[in-house]
Amino acid sequence: MKFAFSTRRHLLAATAIAYALSITAPASATPTDADAAANAPDGQNNGIAEGSDVVVTGTRANEIAPVTASLKTTQPQSIISRSFIEDSLPATADFNQIALIAPSVSNYGNANGSGLSESKAQIRGFQDGEYNVTYDGVPFGDTNDPTHHSNTFFPSNTVETLIVDRGPGNASTLGQATFGGNMNLFSRATREDASFEGKAAYGSFNTYLLRAVAQTGAIDKLGGTEAVFSTQWVKSDGARTYSPFRSWNIFGKVMVPLGDHARLTFLGTYNVNRFNQPDKDGATQDQIAKYGKYYSLNNDPTSQGYWGYNHTRKTTDFEIIKFEADLGEKSSFENRAYTYSYDNETLSGSDVTAYGHATPESNTVTLTPGSKVTVPGVPGYTKTNKYRVYGDIAKVHLDFGFGTLTTGAWIEWSDTYRQQRDVDLVTMLPNYIEKKVTNPVTGAATPQNIKFDQNSNTNHTEEFVELELRPIPGLKITPGLKHVDFNRRVDADYNQTTRYAQQLSSDYSANLPFATVNYAITPGLSVYGQYARGFLAPSLSVLYVDIPGRSTVQPEKSTNYQAGVVYHGERLSIDADMYKIDFSNKFASMTSPIPGVGTIWFNQGSVQYKGIEGQITYAFPGGLAVFANGSRNYAKTQNANFLSLQVANAPEWTAAGGVLFKHGPMVFSLIDKWTGRQWFTDPSTIVPGDAKSLSSYNFYRSNGYNSAILSARYDLGKIRFGVEVNNLFDSQRVTNINTGKTAASDQYFYQVGRTVTGDITVKF
């Protein structure tokens, strides 16, 4: 690979981690079409995830399509461009809302408005924590399990392109949970030409957004160095009661050429979110009946749900230093050193579900250690969850004519601190309400206001090798192997759940084979297939036990099979696939029947995922296009001791469709996404032959919902006006239910109703 620091440099920058990028036009495409594709200003033709090539043909369909796929892909994928993010989505959208346009992707959350509260995405029914999210090739996630915070690290102003890979990738695809797929975010690209763009938006719930993006262009005195800087500020009252939201983000990226054959890239982003929301969010049926679907907090200072007692500040940063160098005409070396941090400081009522019940809240506290005397007060707690992660990824690509060898390693370690303490929310004095616990070794008593105070660490290494063979023109066969070692350690003064001092650790390892094939039948038609094994280490909670040796839990494992086809014609773009994933060793816990053992963890049964997916775009003359995509997703338990039922939060199908128009100064789109029937409880709770438990499973069910977005933009040169109507048809159905100890404490989440936003963008 040789870096081309020329008119196509911005395409390479747009895919900060793609090591091979090829933009081509089929024979039927005119030179004008190919030129437009190669010079698309908003990153419409971008690379994909690590370990993959990309060919995005310069056709009319691909220029306007909201999602497309690479002709060189070895797994089902959806490439979502910056132009779609700018033209068709609210500026406050988080990355899960961006990804929602892809088939087999669903989500819930955003209950306070688009990007104004966190959301959780699912891919083929795999939940957050069962698939990877990466930013410029770096996997990121929480350190107790690999889950993600959708609006905390990377708001939409920091994202150039998003690619949903619905599969585990190759051996060089890195992350803790590759078997569920990969959501790959790519940072904003630097440009050769200097520019400035400012955006102001105002919409429903008194929501303000201000954004600025500045490009330095190529700086000749610094050898062609390019940089991009962005900042964004959001302020909103929120869709839910007494739930204001504030956010501030800054982002910077500098690309420094080191001669003709190497470059160095520095990237950093910093984000602060402040909002009022209970730690355990959602509205009970009693609260909904009295205060409406969008109840969250109140203005009663005698209540645990008082807005002044429930607030959170989340601060994050993310930094990457990336070095790339040629090792020959088509060989290269790359290295990424990175660090990121997360700090969540929360104050919350202990039980916000009690407000609004027929009986009043039991608002009493114990302010004297060891006393049983209670006094009036408002029980709550403080919570801290903060961590820093350090890592490095090194890869070498060696081309030898009829093949390419890729090998490398990933090392990562983390330090985490977590605590939770009971307080009286009125006085902020300790509330001594926890059960008495003594250390079984030292006999020391745990303070009765401490739920836990815990340090933990992870050490994670992956070594991989893959060999792409090209035996005949158009055919690529890529076997590979990845070795994983994963270690967790807890060093707690007061461990979570047990509440006494513990020093515990667990180690897991696996060898994971991969094999992919891609065959280009014609320049615009290719087929692919994939086989892969997956692995996920148990979460930190397996170390919240009295006797770890009694647990028998092993890592979750998967075996993936899938195949598909991609076609790019001049006006028609289409791809389709089918998949089957056998998933075993599902994690579960229980109280041991042996006295004194307490909680133990074990593996329980398996799940089979299978289905079909597809997406299509057709471009008419004059800038008009229609598109559709959909999936039928089967995600059912395969256990002998209970029925074969769809797992929780796994829609049986998804579908999207719409019309897009781009011509001259006018941009218009109407896009609708449907999420099919799903259940909200774990089917493993069902007792065979027990009609009552099956009835309970079916009670916590949604028959599906949709959300349409109408967007229009008009460009007057340096000024662009826009408006979008989110949830055009005002659907307000249930998207998720968090089940409580009783039905009265179940918490419901609903779609936010119709919202309207207007914006003005100024460009220089």
Side-chain angles (χ1 to χ4, degrees):
M1 177 178 114
K2 183 176 181 178
F3 294 122
F5 297 110
S6 62
T7 57
R8 297 183 62 172
R9 188 190 316 163
H10 67 279
L11 290 176
L12 291 167
T15 56
I17 66 167
Y19 65 86
L21 172 61
S22 175
I23 305 296
T24 64
S28 58
T30 67
T32 302
D33 296 327
D35 292 343
N39 294 286
D42 290 317
Q44 294 181 54
N45 298 284
N46 293 302
I48 62 169
E50 198 67 38
S52 300
D53 290 335
V54 59
V55 171
V56 179
T57 58
T59 67
R60 291 183 176 90
N62 280 329
E63 289 173 35
I64 197 170
V67 288
T68 188
S70 166
L71 282 166
K72 289 189 176 182
T73 188
T74 56
Q75 61 186 349
Q77 70 173 197
S78 295
I79 303 173
I80 305 167
S81 69
R82 181 68 202 176
S83 61
F84 172 75
I85 298 170
E86 288 282 358
D87 295 341
S88 300
L89 294 177
T92 56
D94 63 17
F95 59 75
N96 283 337
Q97 186 172 5
I98 298 171
L100 185 61
I101 190 65
S104 288
V105 176
S106 59
N107 68 32
Y108 62 84
N110 271 330
N112 201 36
S114 179
L116 306 180
S117 57
E118 287 189 4
S119 62
K120 294 293 184 182
Q122 301 79 45
I123 303 176
R124 294 175 167 175
F126 285 103
Q127 306 301 303
D128 184 30
E130 296 178 331
Y131 58 82
N132 288 327
V133 179
T134 69
Y135 189 70
D136 277 6
V138 174
F140 78 97
D142 278 355
T143 53
N144 56 332
D145 59 26
T147 53
H148 308 91
H149 302 280
S150 64
N151 67 347
T152 304
F153 277 95
F154 307 113
S156 65
N157 66 299
T158 69
V159 178
E160 185 82 19
T161 307
L162 191 153
I163 294 108
V164 179
D165 284 326
R166 299 185 298 277
N170 299 327
S172 58
T173 303
L174 303 173
Q176 288 191 42
T178 55
F179 56 75
N182 298 273
M183 193 181 295
N184 302 295
L185 285 64
F186 296 86
S187 64
R188 294 299 296 265
T190 62
R191 310 292 188 197
E192 286 186 316
D193 299 322
S195 65
F196 176 83
E197 180 178 294
K199 185 168 191 171
Y202 178 77
S204 300
F205 320 124
N206 201 30
T207 301
Y208 297 85
L209 177 142
L210 296 174
R211 175 189 296 171
V213 180
Q215 295 275 358
T216 65
I219 305 172
D220 293 337
K221 292 183 179 180
L222 297 177
T225 295
E226 297 174 359
V228 57
F229 302 97
S230 176
T231 186
Q232 178 172 289
W233 176 78
V234 178
K235 173 181 177 295
S236 178
D237 293 340
R240 307 184 72 191
T241 60
Y242 295 94
S243 298
F245 176 84
R246 307 287 186 274
S247 179
W248 178 58
N249 173 267
I250 56 173
F251 166 87
K253 180 178 176 181
V254 180
M255 188 278 292
V256 182
L258 303 175
D260 293 332
H261 300 282
R263 67 175 173 179
L264 195 61
T265 302
F266 302 89
L267 179 150
T269 182
Y270 176 80
N271 198 85
V272 179
N273 287 355
R274 294 180 294 115
F275 52 91
N276 293 80
Q277 177 182 300
D279 194 30
K280 296 179 181 179
D281 199 17
T284 68
Q285 287 295 289
D286 282 347
Q287 291 166 343
I288 293 166
K290 291 183 178 181
Y291 313 114
K293 292 180 177 180
Y294 304 110
Y295 172 81
S296 178
L297 296 171
N298 58 61
N299 63 347
D300 180 0
T302 67
S303 166
Q304 295 178 44
Y306 175 53
W307 69 272
Y309 299 148
N310 293 267
H311 52 78
T312 297
R313 178 186 174 96
K314 292 186 177 182
T315 306
T316 66
D317 66 79
F318 199 104
E319 294 81 32
I320 303 174
I321 300 176
K322 178 184 176 184
F323 173 73
E324 302 165 283
D326 291 346
L327 298 179
E329 185 177 355
K330 295 182 180 180
S331 299
S332 64
F333 169 78
E334 58 189 63
N335 190 88
R336 294 176 192 80
Y338 65 90
T339 183
Y340 63 89
S341 74
Y342 172 84
D343 186 356
N344 175 350
E345 303 293 341
T346 291
L347 181 69
S348 178
S350 293
D351 182 12
V352 297
T353 66
Y355 187 76
H357 287 184
T359 56
E361 294 178 85
S362 178
N363 284 340
T364 59
V365 295
T366 301
L367 301 180
T368 304
S371 173
K372 295 184 179 180
V373 177
T374 61
V375 297
V378 181
Y381 57 84
T382 66
K383 184 180 82 171
T384 298
N385 180 11
K386 56 193 298 186
Y387 55 77
R388 179 160 292 277
V389 178
Y390 306 87
D392 189 88
I393 300 170
K395 297 189 179 186
V396 178
H397 312 287
L398 300 174
D399 189 280
F400 46 88
F402 63 88
T404 300
L405 176 69
T406 299
T407 186
W410 172 36
I411 58 174
E412 183 181 87
W413 61 98
S414 69
D415 294 305
T416 303
Y417 172 69
R418 302 170 67 242
Q419 70 83 26
Q420 193 166 314
R421 283 168 165 78
D422 297 299
V423 296
D424 173 16
L425 293 170
V426 178
T427 64
M428 291 304 297
L429 294 173
N431 181 18
Y432 299 97
I433 59 168
E434 300 295 330
K435 293 181 179 179
K436 290 183 178 180
V437 170
T438 57
N439 189 307
V441 177
T442 66
T446 299
Q448 288 180 255
N449 67 309
I450 298 179
K451 291 188 176 181
F452 55 87
D453 192 298
Q454 172 199 89
N455 292 285
S456 63
N457 308 90
T458 63
N459 285 280
H460 187 180
T461 63
E462 295 187 5
E463 303 86 24
F464 57 87
V465 60
E466 61 186 38
L467 179 62
E468 180 188 276
L469 298 172
R470 301 184 286 271
I472 61 174
L475 178 62
K476 294 182 179 181
I477 302 171
T478 310
L481 179 68
K482 177 163 59 184
H483 176 75
V484 181
D485 288 296
F486 190 83
N487 168 265
R488 290 191 188 277
R489 296 196 308 272
V490 166
D491 184 2
D493 291 336
Y494 307 99
N495 200 13
Q496 190 165 344
T497 305
T498 65
R499 295 184 52 240
Y500 57 81
Q502 288 183 288
Q503 292 78 40
L504 306 170
S505 66
S506 56
D507 295 279
Y508 308 96
S509 63
N511 291 308
L512 305 175
F514 296 77
T516 64
V517 60
N518 178 287
Y519 181 57
I521 300 172
T522 71
L525 176 66
S526 67
V527 294
Y528 61 85
Q530 182 183 59
Y531 161 83
R533 298 294 300 271
F535 163 95
L536 176 63
S539 71
L540 187 66
S541 55
V542 302
L543 299 179
Y544 303 161
V545 295
D546 292 282
I547 306 177
R550 296 284 188 173
S551 295
T552 59
V553 66
Q554 296 295 315
E556 292 180 337
K557 297 181 179 179
S558 67
T559 304
N560 300 55
Y561 308 90
Q562 49 191 349
V565 58
V566 180
Y567 171 75
H568 293 324
E570 182 179 4
R571 298 196 179 277
L572 178 66
S573 174
I574 186 170
D575 61 87
D577 68 272
M578 60 179 61
Y579 67 91
K580 178 177 179 289
I581 305 169
D582 295 319
F583 179 90
S584 61
N585 287 357
K586 190 172 179 64
F587 302 141
S589 64
M590 63 177 288
T591 300
S592 173
I594 303 173
V597 172
T599 300
I600 58 172
W601 285 81
F602 61 98
N603 297 109
Q604 174 182 271
S606 61
V607 180
Q608 186 177 87
Y609 298 81
K610 60 184 179 182
I612 56 174
E613 305 161 318
Q615 52 195 22
I616 182 172
T617 299
Y618 186 82
F620 295 93
L624 179 68
V626 294
F627 89 96
N629 65 49
S631 65
R632 176 65 173 93
N633 306 107
Y634 175 105
K636 294 194 175 183
T637 55
Q638 300 292 304
N639 303 330
N641 62 330
F642 55 85
L643 301 174
S644 177
L645 299 169
Q646 193 84 350
V647 300
N649 298 111
E652 293 181 315
W653 57 271
T654 70
V659 58
L660 304 101
F661 178 77
K662 292 185 178 183
H663 186 74
M666 184 67 186
V667 178
F668 170 87
S669 66
L670 175 59
I671 296 170
D672 205 354
K673 175 68 183 260
W674 293 267
T675 299
R677 185 174 66 166
Q678 62 181 304
W679 287 258
F680 302 123
T681 57
D682 185 351
S684 64
T685 60
I686 296 174
V687 179
D690 183 354
K692 184 177 180 181
S693 62
L694 182 60
S695 176
S696 176
Y697 169 78
N698 285 318
F699 175 80
Y700 293 103
R701 184 184 72 185
S702 165
N703 289 326
Y705 51 88
N706 73 301
S707 182
I709 301 178
L710 173 67
S711 177
R713 302 280 186 270
Y714 194 83
D715 202 321
L716 294 175
K718 293 185 180 298
I719 300 178
R720 188 189 202 204
F721 296 93
V723 63
E724 73 252 348
V725 183
N726 201 17
N727 195 358
L728 177 65
F729 304 115
D730 200 28
S731 177
Q732 299 180 35
R733 296 189 177 184
V734 173
T735 62
N736 191 39
I737 304 173
N738 286 343
T739 55
K741 293 181 179 180
T742 64
S745 60
D746 292 341
Q747 294 179 297
Y748 288 72
F749 299 82
Y750 294 86
Q751 292 176 275
V752 174
R754 183 187 300 113
T755 61
V756 180
T757 301
D759 60 71
I760 300 175
T761 302
V762 180
K763 296 174 284 185
F764 300 99

